[in-house]
Amino acid sequence: FVKGSNTMRRNAIDSLGSQISKDYYTVLHDYNKALKQKNALLRDGASDDMFKSVNDVLIKSGAQLVFYRHGLIQKILPVISDYYSQIAGKNEELSIEYYPSWAMDDKLEQISRDEAREKLSCAFDEKLDEEKARCRALIGPHRDRIVFVLNGEDAQNFASQGQQRSIVLSFKLTEVKALFKAMS
């Protein structure tokens, strides 16, 4: 999970968000459905008008998904941090950073739905030719990075096995707490 792919971390966050909120689940489902359509269009060499209509759906649902993910990460961050401190000791600090695909080197601090729409729209326009050449979608929430940061370093590269296990346990405890809170 910590050393695994970004897909694993995105799926874990999306799974939690989908269990907490029906809206989150709906937006994620809509995004994934439109993404499959876009990838099929890219493989089939469809017209630019077809890409525009699918991109419009991807921009709307993708921006909402980015907004939901970011909000969920901000919501669980103090909880997972607290659990990690209890498990590992007070001298270690855990945080989570979210890097959208349109700016992989810039972590997302704050964003509105409108800002996310604008950034996704620009990124889709910028990457369309490359996507056509590679026959797959290169931009969107399906390519975002979620990084666990331990004492200022990417845990994927620097955490020991014990620290990785503590991060996973902290995340699982955070999931349970979030689900319990959502059900009450």
Side-chain angles (χ1 to χ4, degrees):
F1 177 73
V2 176
K3 288 230 183 231
S5 69
N6 279 303
T7 302
M8 290 174 65
R9 289 184 291 279
R10 282 191 306 269
N11 288 345
I13 293 292
D14 289 342
S15 175
L16 177 59
S18 294
Q19 292 175 68
I20 291 173
S21 165
K22 184 179 178 189
D23 292 340
Y24 193 113
Y25 173 80
T26 302
V27 166
L28 178 64
H29 177 75
D30 291 348
Y31 179 79
N32 286 332
K33 186 176 174 183
L35 179 62
K36 283 181 184 178
Q37 290 174 336
K38 181 174 182 174
N39 281 329
L41 291 173
L42 286 165
R43 284 189 301 274
D44 295 342
S47 70
D48 285 350
D49 289 338
M50 292 293 287
F51 286 119
K52 181 169 177 11
S53 66
V54 171
N55 277 349
D56 288 344
V57 174
L58 283 170
I59 289 166
K60 184 178 178 186
S61 59
Q64 186 66 43
L65 183 55
V66 167
F67 183 77
Y68 279 165
R69 264 189 199 158
H70 182 261
L72 179 58
I73 289 169
Q74 295 308 306
K75 192 178 199 177
I76 68 170
L77 183 58
V79 179
I80 194 171
S81 237
D82 185 49
Y83 277 129
Y84 187 82
S85 291
Q86 291 175 34
I87 293 166
K90 299 286 184 197
N91 59 345
E92 292 191 6
E93 187 177 319
L94 177 68
S95 65
I96 306 171
E97 295 178 352
Y98 183 36
Y99 295 87
S101 61
W102 65 74
M104 284 300 225
D105 296 327
D106 297 325
K107 68 181 175 183
L108 195 58
E109 297 289 345
Q110 273 189 317
I111 193 147
S112 70
R113 286 178 195 92
D114 291 338
E115 288 173 308
R117 279 188 199 119
E118 180 62 32
K119 296 209 183 258
L120 272 174
S121 179
C122 290
F124 282 151
D125 290 344
E126 187 178 299
K127 290 284 188 179
L128 183 59
D129 290 336
E130 187 179 347
E131 288 179 329
K132 285 179 179 179
R134 294 177 70 183
C135 297
R136 66 185 178 130
L138 302 173
I139 293 292
H142 67 285
R143 302 286 294 205
D144 293 350
R145 287 188 318 133
I146 296 172
V147 177
F148 289 97
V149 177
L150 187 58
N151 299 325
E153 299 289 342
D154 183 343
Q156 185 173 19
N157 300 322
F158 294 100
S160 69
Q161 283 188 335
Q163 289 169 322
Q164 291 172 44
R165 288 183 183 124
S166 295
I167 292 169
V168 171
L169 179 57
S170 300
F171 184 78
K172 292 297 180 189
L173 290 168
T174 301
E175 279 183 313
V176 170
K177 186 172 186 173
L179 291 171
F180 182 74
K181 187 175 180 180
M183 295 173 81
S184 346

